[in-house]
Amino acid sequence: MKTTIKRQALAALTLAAPALVCAQSIENPEPDYYELDAVTITPLEQFSNRAIYGETPIAFSEVSKADLDTYLASQDIPMVLNYTPSVYATTQGGGAGDARINIRGFDQRNVAVMINGVPVNDMENGWVYWSNWDGVGDIASSVQVQRGISNLDLAVPSIGGTLNIMTDPAAKQRGGMVKQEFGSDGFSKTTVIGHTGLINDTFAASAAVARKMSGGYVDGVWADAWSWYVGASYKLNENNTIEFYGFGAPQRHGQNLYQRNIGTYSESFALGLDSYDPAALDRYYERGYAYNETWNYVDPDYDGLQADHHGIGPRRFPDYINERENFYDKPQVSLNWYFRPENSKWSWDNVFYYSGGEGGGTGTYGSVARVIDSGTYFHRNRDWNAQIAQNRANLNSEGLAESTGILRNSRNNQWTIGAISKVTFEASENWSTSFGIDWRTAEIQHFREVRDLLGGDYYLENGVQKGLGGTIDYNNTNTVDWLGGYFQAAYEKDAFSGFGMIGLSQISYSFEDFFRPLGNGQNYVIDSDDFDGMQIKLGGRYDINETVSMYANFGYVEKVPIFDNVIDDFTGRAYLNPPDEVFTNYEVGFNYIDSDGKLTLGANIYRTNWDDRAFSKSLRIEEDTDNDGVNDTVVFDEYVNISGVNQRHQGFELEGSYRFNKEFRLDSTLALNDWEYTNNVTARIPGLDTDLIPSEFDLYIEGLKVGDAPQTQFTTSLIYMPTSEMNFSARMRHNRDNYAAFDPLSRTDKTDTTQSWKAPDYTVYDLHMNWTLPTQTDVKYEVFASVLNVFDEKYVQDATDNDRFNSFDGDHDADDAAVHFGAPRRINAGLKIEF
């Protein structure tokens, strides 16, 4: 089947991408037309469910490799997606790899993140830890954001959307690249990439390694990271191709995990807010935007050793200690096999993968001294010198020093193996079908260990002396077993294309506590039931004419419960009646490309309902059986799941691009969203008598806005390309209606229906420049520079309403919010050499 396609159309409709890779010739501004087969994609792209322009009936945006090179500026990958509609990414506390992403009001637990078609969300709770994937931006060929139900055929809950990251395949041309970057706050990064090129028309390989160091823009938030990548392809014969991918990012970095009252950062900013009570500054006094209480200086003469996943050795810094540090290494390898029988209508794609992680995070254990000053207790730095002196003076009868407060590691060692297999069959010229299975199993070991005795000789845990590396507090192993399957059919004829998909999934969990032996070599073990989920997706697209097309889709998802709603792995107790949460999604959109290819537009409206959102809670109900005024009988004492909370996420998204001439182009996006809780809740526990549930479990949340991301967003980018070797970009993003996050279970007072605090609107500007220097050789030299937050805007990016440790008077005002401020002005610049 032949299709006439404008060259621009191949790049259009990614309108939210920072820099559309416009196919229109710089020298010849007139659009070119081609007769070509219907757009085809590589086996890896087909396997990974890459959406196709003009074909896939969903809302999506794509950041190309050129866009990543221009705009990422060595940030975490989610940050480059802030110029796509209804996507919000922040650096949180500023730690390297501590970014988070929100799509259409849903956090990462309800966003499927895929790398080369392999899901990387945490198997226990669905979260994504971007520090594990540091360096992926260097080797990614594209990043595609599919909003809503997405084009993903795996039976995984991609409710907010899907983030689909594709890495570079093995290059067919021999060569390489060296890139050196420098930036603010002591940032430096060196990246080296090499390609063998295609050898004997059968084999090609690529490899990359990068080294990153940074001091961080927040006190004590440094980074020390490596990353590596290997990609190889081998053509066995005309029908079989094998690809291998491996990547990892061993790293450690200081963290700034805690949000704080606005006055702790800046008195002037706080007093500039209408709802901030000046009296709060007597409790939360100013410490500066870079303040981080989870580190402090220590006497360099203290030479105590520390334990981590590499063993026991000296501290990284002789003159200060981080209370909060993350250290982890989670490599992932996959083997892809693509079977394409000659002259056949069917194909078979397989991937077998392994990911193994080792490391954890640090914190204090026991009682550790804080600096004595007039500030709020929880906003004081640790006094390491005082604690070391205290531990050294606490001698037992044998003359050994018993530590009363220490540093600990919370360890998370894990492995995951999985396989995905898909068969596609072209039933006729118009019909195609596919079906597949997705199997995964994971084991995750959680334990705490002594990291630093802070001057002591041991820590006493349940009467046992623990030295460096000794296991304390908890020691358990969780397992997760997942099995999914799907069937999909697609139809295409003339101006119409559509698809339907049904997916089934089953998951089960287990928990083993090594601190609760039962005798005979057995430990306390819990095995969960099997939990079943289902999803249905339907979508269709119709080309009205050569310039306008319409699409619509529908999705229904029954999401299986996550581990945290099935077993409490701190107490080892199972929750009663873990429910499936239900999502329904409706979406209608259109795309427009004008006749000369200068203007492209895409718009859509969507509505996603989240019903029976589950919350875990402990419930104890007692009864006065002898009527003496004192409860003396426990009627119910269990860990339960509370359901009945419903949310509605709906909105309008617009993205467009206009090319004024061969030098100037303007890209813009707009998102107008309305995310809120739709009902007050008489809390219910499935399968239990509601008369047993105490009234304080009733929730008064109807009409309250869902927080944690701005509901109104506008971005625009002006791109100037005076030549094909030079690119200048000025970009702006404006966010508003960012309601502070809050726990719906906290709204139990029927007289308290005030919205959570709304953070101030803000606008941030970025500048980017790339220039490929003219040379007379095959070696290319490119200089580049980025200035992020050009005007050093001070703004609140994350907020929590009525925070437990930061609320002044608890009435949902600015003085009750805990916040993270956005990153200040930063510069990233460097030189790239390609050969």
Side-chain angles (χ1 to χ4, degrees):
M1 180 174 59
K2 297 285 186 179
T3 306
T4 301
I5 299 180
K6 297 179 183 179
R7 293 183 66 182
Q8 290 90 341
L10 296 177
L13 311 179
T14 322
L15 307 175
L20 300 176
V21 183
C22 186
Q24 183 170 313
S25 171
I26 296 296
E27 290 75 19
N28 177 18
E30 295 302 317
D32 295 322
Y33 294 82
Y34 293 90
E35 289 289 330
L36 69 164
D37 292 330
V39 178
T40 59
I41 57 177
T42 67
L44 177 60
E45 291 172 324
Q46 180 178 353
F47 168 79
S48 303
N49 300 111
R50 182 173 180 266
I52 304 300
Y53 303 120
E55 293 187 12
T56 312
I58 62 171
F60 69 96
S61 303
E62 186 164 319
V63 182
S64 70
K65 184 173 184 61
D67 298 335
L68 290 168
D69 288 344
T70 301
Y71 300 114
L72 187 57
S74 285
Q75 303 173 92
D76 295 341
I77 273 188
M79 302 306 296
V80 79
L81 303 175
N82 271 321
Y83 286 82
T84 60
S86 299
V87 176
Y88 186 61
T90 78
T91 57
Q92 298 197 96
D98 288 343
R100 56 100 176 184
I101 189 171
N102 184 298
I103 300 179
R104 288 186 174 176
F106 296 95
D107 67 21
Q108 295 177 150
R109 293 178 179 87
N110 289 301
V111 173
V113 179
M114 318 287 290
I115 300 180
N116 292 338
V118 175
V120 299
N121 297 72
D122 186 86
M123 288 282 284
E124 293 178 294
N125 56 34
W127 199 251
V128 179
Y129 302 92
W130 291 100
S131 58
N132 295 336
W133 314 110
D134 189 33
V136 169
D138 298 314
I139 46 90
S141 60
S142 68
V143 178
Q144 192 175 84
V145 182
Q146 302 175 7
R147 302 186 296 277
I149 64 169
S150 81
N151 189 41
L152 187 64
D153 52 27
L154 294 182
V156 297
S158 51
I159 312 305
T162 298
L163 184 57
N164 203 342
I165 303 171
M166 303 289 297
T167 66
D168 278 328
K172 293 183 178 180
Q173 299 297 322
R174 183 179 180 182
M177 185 272 285
V178 177
K179 181 166 67 172
Q180 180 61 55
E181 299 172 75
F182 298 99
S184 304
D185 307 304
F187 176 85
S188 68
K189 183 176 180 179
T190 304
T191 305
V192 179
I193 299 175
H195 313 288
T196 66
L198 187 62
I199 300 174
N200 296 328
D201 291 327
T202 59
F203 176 79
S206 297
V209 63
R211 178 78 166 112
K212 182 175 77 173
M213 303 283 287
S214 176
Y217 63 85
V218 175
D219 291 342
V221 179
W222 47 271
D224 181 353
W226 290 85
S227 61
W228 60 270
Y229 170 76
V230 175
S233 176
Y234 183 68
K235 186 177 180 180
L236 295 174
N237 51 45
E238 293 300 321
N239 301 330
N240 293 272
T241 301
I242 293 177
E243 293 180 346
F244 172 83
Y245 297 95
F247 45 89
Q251 59 80 39
R252 55 189 300 194
H253 68 276
Q255 293 186 291
N256 175 33
L257 297 180
Y258 305 128
Q259 297 177 348
R260 285 166 289 278
N261 187 280
I262 297 170
T264 305
Y265 294 105
S266 171
E267 290 187 3
S268 61
F269 190 99
L271 294 175
L273 303 172
D274 292 338
S275 63
Y276 194 94
D277 188 339
L281 296 177
D282 294 334
R283 183 185 303 175
Y284 307 105
Y285 63 87
E286 181 177 317
R287 298 174 184 267
Y289 287 106
Y291 177 65
N292 173 19
E293 75 262 31
T294 65
W295 78 287
N296 206 353
Y297 292 105
V298 68
D299 188 335
D301 289 338
Y302 172 61
D303 58 359
L305 301 178
Q306 292 188 339
D308 63 16
H309 61 313
H310 291 304
I312 296 174
R315 299 192 312 277
R316 173 180 170 79
F317 301 103
D319 56 349
Y320 73 86
I321 295 176
N322 284 87
E323 177 185 349
R324 291 291 191 173
E325 175 187 327
N326 178 271
F327 54 98
Y328 216 79
D329 183 11
K330 189 178 183 180
Q332 178 170 299
V333 295
S334 62
L335 183 67
N336 295 25
W337 169 37
Y338 311 117
F339 181 43
R340 300 287 190 271
E342 189 174 359
N343 300 322
S344 177
K345 294 184 177 181
W346 69 280
S347 61
W348 188 17
D349 298 326
N350 300 273
V351 60
F352 309 93
Y353 61 92
Y354 164 85
S355 179
E358 188 173 87
T362 68
T364 58
Y365 193 66
S367 177
V368 178
R370 292 183 184 267
V371 173
I372 299 175
D373 60 24
S374 57
T376 301
Y377 177 77
F378 288 104
H379 288 191
R380 302 178 193 167
N381 297 71
R382 299 291 182 177
D383 191 338
W384 303 122
N385 290 329
Q387 187 61 46
I388 290 167
Q390 178 180 319
N391 288 343
R392 284 173 170 172
N394 188 34
L395 300 178
N396 64 12
S397 59
E398 299 175 350
L400 297 176
E402 178 186 334
S403 296
T404 58
I406 61 172
L407 272 178
R408 50 79 182 164
N409 293 322
S410 293
R411 294 288 302 278
N412 182 311
N413 295 345
Q414 58 179 277
W415 56 262
T416 301
I417 56 174
I420 303 171
S421 184
K422 301 180 180 181
V423 174
T424 301
F425 179 67
E426 302 290 338
S428 68
E429 182 180 0
N430 305 116
W431 282 98
S432 65
T433 61
S434 66
F435 59 91
I437 59 171
D438 167 25
W439 168 80
R440 284 173 268 162
T441 185
E443 181 179 282
I444 308 98
Q445 183 184 13
H446 301 279
F447 63 95
R448 279 184 171 172
E449 65 184 2
V450 177
R451 177 180 180 85
D452 191 328
L453 287 164
L454 297 178
D457 294 311
Y458 67 91
Y459 183 81
L460 195 64
E461 174 89 341
N462 296 324
V464 179
Q465 294 183 4
K466 301 286 186 175
L468 288 176
T471 306
I472 56 175
D473 199 15
Y474 59 79
N475 184 9
N476 55 64
T477 293
N478 301 332
T479 66
V480 183
D481 291 294
W482 168 281
L483 181 63
Y486 82 94
F487 175 80
Q488 180 168 292
Y491 178 81
E492 181 179 0
K493 185 176 182 180
D494 299 328
F496 175 80
S497 61
F499 77 96
M501 174 264 192
I502 183 169
L504 302 174
S505 58
Q506 184 178 87
I507 197 167
S508 63
Y509 306 102
S510 75
F511 167 86
E512 181 176 6
D513 191 342
F514 295 99
F515 275 1
R516 295 169 67 178
L518 302 179
N520 299 321
Q522 301 296 312
N523 297 311
Y524 176 79
V525 175
I526 292 178
D527 290 305
S528 77
D529 296 328
D530 294 331
F531 301 99
D532 300 320
M534 179 182 71
Q535 59 177 298
I536 299 172
K537 296 180 182 181
L538 302 171
R541 183 183 192 90
Y542 183 75
D543 297 327
I544 297 175
N545 53 42
E546 291 186 356
T547 61
V548 179
S549 62
M550 301 285 294
Y551 67 87
N553 60 61
F554 165 80
Y556 172 85
V557 177
E558 295 175 354
K559 179 186 175 184
V560 294
I562 62 175
F563 188 99
D564 294 345
N565 286 339
V566 176
I567 298 173
D568 183 275
D569 57 6
F570 286 99
T571 64
R573 299 181 66 179
Y575 289 95
L576 290 182
N577 303 315
D580 279 355
E581 299 170 299
V582 177
F583 299 82
T584 54
N585 181 84
Y586 313 86
E587 184 174 312
V588 177
F590 85 95
N591 295 314
Y592 170 81
I593 308 173
D594 70 353
S595 58
D596 60 6
K598 288 186 175 181
L599 175 65
T600 59
L601 288 174
N604 62 277
I605 57 175
Y606 73 91
R607 179 168 181 167
T608 304
N609 297 322
W610 184 359
D611 296 332
D612 279 342
R613 181 178 173 184
F615 295 89
S616 301
K617 196 174 181 71
S618 60
L619 174 62
R620 184 180 182 89
I621 299 178
E622 299 178 342
E623 208 173 67
D624 180 11
T625 56
D626 53 10
N627 298 315
D628 63 354
V630 178
N631 290 330
D632 50 19
T633 301
V634 176
V635 178
F636 193 83
D637 185 7
E638 260 306 350
Y639 281 69
V640 298
N641 279 277
I642 302 169
S643 59
V645 175
N646 298 332
Q647 294 176 210
R648 183 191 65 226
H649 296 239
Q650 60 186 10
F652 167 77
E653 299 166 343
L654 173 70
E655 41 191 342
S657 178
Y658 183 75
R659 176 172 285 281
F660 297 95
N661 50 45
K662 64 180 181 180
E663 289 95 10
F664 287 97
R665 192 183 74 247
L666 183 70
D667 301 336
S668 295
T669 73
L670 174 67
L672 304 174
N673 294 299
D674 177 24
W675 310 321
E676 66 177 34
Y677 297 94
T678 60
N679 62 319
N680 291 328
V681 178
T682 300
R684 54 189 172 85
I685 303 171
L688 296 181
D689 184 352
T690 56
D691 293 336
L692 295 176
I693 305 173
S695 61
E696 61 263 27
F697 277 31
D698 293 343
L699 308 178
Y700 301 92
I701 56 176
E702 183 177 358
L704 296 184
K705 298 294 185 180
V706 175
D708 208 28
Q711 302 201 19
T712 302
Q713 298 171 286
F714 173 70
T715 76
T716 188
S717 302
L718 179 64
I719 295 93
Y720 172 54
M721 296 176 289
T723 71
S724 59
E725 289 79 28
M726 190 175 294
N727 185 309
F728 297 91
S729 302
R731 313 176 73 206
M732 179 274 289
R733 53 188 173 96
H734 175 76
N735 291 317
R736 60 193 309 146
D737 301 323
N738 187 1
Y739 293 88
F742 70 96
D743 181 3
L745 296 188
S746 68
R747 293 302 191 105
T748 58
D749 182 355
K750 66 175 63 177
T751 66
D752 181 14
T753 58
T754 305
Q755 292 285 0
S756 69
W757 178 67
K758 185 168 67 172
D761 308 341
Y762 69 88
T763 304
V764 172
Y765 295 86
D766 300 327
L767 293 176
H768 304 272
M769 181 277 293
N770 294 73
W771 181 28
T772 301
L773 304 178
T775 65
Q776 301 300 318
T777 69
D778 292 335
V779 179
K780 293 182 179 180
Y781 299 88
E782 179 185 329
V783 294
F784 56 89
S786 296
V787 183
L788 307 176
N789 192 1
V790 174
F791 300 108
D792 201 22
E793 178 78 3
K794 301 298 188 294
Y795 62 96
V796 173
Q797 64 174 2
D798 303 303
T800 301
D801 187 59
N802 276 17
D803 183 74
R804 176 184 175 188
F805 302 116
N806 293 271
S807 177
F808 178 62
D809 52 16
D811 60 354
H812 310 291
D813 285 342
D815 51 65
D816 303 306
V819 306
H820 279 314
F821 273 78
R825 178 171 52 237
R826 286 110 59 227
I827 297 174
N828 176 273
L831 172 67
K832 181 169 68 173
I833 304 172
E834 293 184 284
F835 51 90

